């Protein structure tokens, strides 16, 4: 996961250097509709909180990341948008002599606000909405799916360079969290208990945004 993240950050760095000469020639004008998306990599972890107390956290899994948003800049420094932020991965697993395709996906769909201090390229973003976790298992004959939804929270920090009058490019760091309900678990004594479970992820991506 760390190698993927470092590689992505290296690509972002090269893009920043190669576009730095032209970046700055356009002001960050925001006064209407906007649309944007990003792609990158990140890591997600599952957390269990048994009713008997304590917390169990899984190892962080590396995967792909993406983001899409559409909204409106209500002032030059504040934009409101509907946003979808996701992490996912797929892998092939051998189980009891069969080859199974596992797909994992977590997503936060939220109403988000973005703040651009001093009308520049730096931004902070926060949102609240619905978080969804999905596991899909396929073999040669059938498909099974587990899906849960609950409260979702997202946050982001980043910077963008205005490369044309309407287009901006830049790196961003996203954080997503979702509380997905309860599952059956086993405590340290081997007793069956109920546990709240949640998922969080941290993504590094390259964002492309258009402003009108």
């Amino acid at each position: 996961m760390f190698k993927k993240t470092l590689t992505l950050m290296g690509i972002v760095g090269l893009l920043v250097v190669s576009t730095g000469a032209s970046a700055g020639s356009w002001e960050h004008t925001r006064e209407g509709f906007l649309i944007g998306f990003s792609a990158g990599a990140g890591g997600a972890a599952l957390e269990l909180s048994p009713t008997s107390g304590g917390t169990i956290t899984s190892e962080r899994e590396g995967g792909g990341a993406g983001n899409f948003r559409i909204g409106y800049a209500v002032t030059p420094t504040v934009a409101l948008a509907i946003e979808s932020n996701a992490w996912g991965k797929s892998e092939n697993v051998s189980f009891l002599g069969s080859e199974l395709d596992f797909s994992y996906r977590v997503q936060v769909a939220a109403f988000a606000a973005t703040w651009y201090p001093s009308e520049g390229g730096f931004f902070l973003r926060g949102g609240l909405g619905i978080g969804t976790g999905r596991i899909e298992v396929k073999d040669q004959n059938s498909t099974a799916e587990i899906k849960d939804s609950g409260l979702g929270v997202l946050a982001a920090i980043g910077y963008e360079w205005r490369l044309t009058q309407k287009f901006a490019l830049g790196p961003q760091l996203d954080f997503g969290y979702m509380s997905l309900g309860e599952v059956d678990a086993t405590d340290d004594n081997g007793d069956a208990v109920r546990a709240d479970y949640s998922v969080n992820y941290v993504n590094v991506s390259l964002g492309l945004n258009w402003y009108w």
Side-chain angles (χ1 to χ4, degrees):
M1 171 261 179
F2 294 105
K3 289 184 178 179
K4 290 181 180 179
T5 302
L6 290 174
T7 300
L8 176 65
M9 293 178 70
I11 294 173
V12 170
L14 290 174
L15 286 169
V16 168
V17 171
S18 64
T19 59
S22 61
S25 57
W26 299 95
E27 294 184 358
H28 288 278
T29 304
R30 306 179 185 93
E31 52 186 12
F33 287 101
L34 61 91
I35 187 170
F37 67 90
S38 67
L46 173 68
E47 187 173 277
L48 292 176
S49 300
T51 54
S52 57
T55 300
I56 303 169
T57 303
S58 71
E59 293 186 3
R60 194 163 290 275
E61 292 280 344
N67 170 277
F68 175 79
R69 66 194 187 101
I70 183 169
Y72 192 88
V74 294
T75 74
T77 59
V78 177
L80 303 179
I82 301 297
E83 184 157 346
S84 176
N85 197 294
W87 171 94
K89 70 173 295 184
S90 298
E91 60 182 340
N92 183 265
V93 177
S94 296
F95 181 74
L96 298 179
S98 299
E99 294 295 321
L100 303 178
D101 292 322
F102 279 80
S103 296
Y104 312 88
R105 179 182 174 86
V106 291
Q107 177 180 4
V108 176
F111 180 75
T114 303
W115 176 49
Y116 306 88
S118 303
E119 302 183 20
F122 175 75
F123 65 84
L124 295 170
R125 182 176 300 141
L128 187 67
I130 299 174
T132 303
R134 179 186 291 107
I135 299 175
E136 187 178 81
V137 183
K138 293 182 179 180
D139 61 16
Q140 295 180 346
N141 302 313
S142 62
T143 299
E145 181 182 79
I146 300 173
K147 179 179 177 181
D148 285 310
S149 299
L151 175 67
V153 178
L154 64 83
I157 182 172
Y159 192 91
E160 59 183 22
W161 286 265
R162 188 61 69 96
L163 303 185
T164 72
Q165 186 175 6
K166 298 182 182 296
F167 173 68
L169 172 76
Q172 65 184 54
L173 179 68
D174 297 295
F175 171 79
Y177 169 86
M178 61 203 70
S179 177
L180 297 176
E182 292 186 337
V183 293
D184 293 319
T186 303
D187 62 16
D188 294 336
N189 298 320
D191 297 325
V193 297
R194 296 291 289 174
D196 294 324
Y197 83 103
S198 61
V199 177
N200 69 82
Y201 59 83
V202 179
N203 297 334
V204 179
S205 62
L206 182 64
L208 294 82
N209 299 289
W210 288 263
Y211 298 90
W212 289 273

